[in-house]
Amino acid sequence: MTRDPAEQKRIALNLLLDAWDAALRQGVAPELLATTAIYTALTDMVEEHGEEAIARLMDDLPDRIRRGDFTLKPPPN
């Protein structure tokens, strides 16, 4: 059964969040867990798309971070 990309993303996110919580419960430091997750994601992306493509993709990362694209904001009241 093939799932649409939005459903696949939802499933992937839920599985990753479960693994993240399990690692925290076992005493893994959040900073180490985050660094390892980024490393794992980048190595998989480079393997799939190549170094140059992923380097280009990461070019705008500092601006996106500064813009708040990765900042969790509280829900509006």
Side-chain angles (χ1 to χ4, degrees):
M1 173 161 108
T2 303
R3 299 178 192 266
D4 67 80
E7 177 70 4
Q8 289 182 44
K9 285 182 183 182
R10 186 192 66 73
I11 292 168
L13 179 58
N14 285 334
L15 289 169
L16 288 171
L17 290 174
D18 289 346
W20 189 282
D21 289 342
L24 291 175
R25 283 193 302 274
Q26 291 187 33
V28 176
E31 300 82 14
L32 181 58
L33 186 54
T35 301
T36 303
I38 292 168
Y39 175 82
T40 301
L42 286 172
T43 57
D44 283 357
M45 291 170 66
V46 166
E47 185 174 322
E48 180 72 22
H49 303 287
E51 292 168 345
E52 189 56 37
I54 301 309
R56 283 193 308 271
L57 182 67
M58 296 295 112
D59 279 344
D60 70 338
L61 194 55
D63 290 336
R64 292 183 64 200
I65 292 168
R66 290 183 186 101
R67 187 172 59 227
D69 289 359
F70 302 98
T71 301
L72 296 177
K73 298 176 177 100
N77 292 335

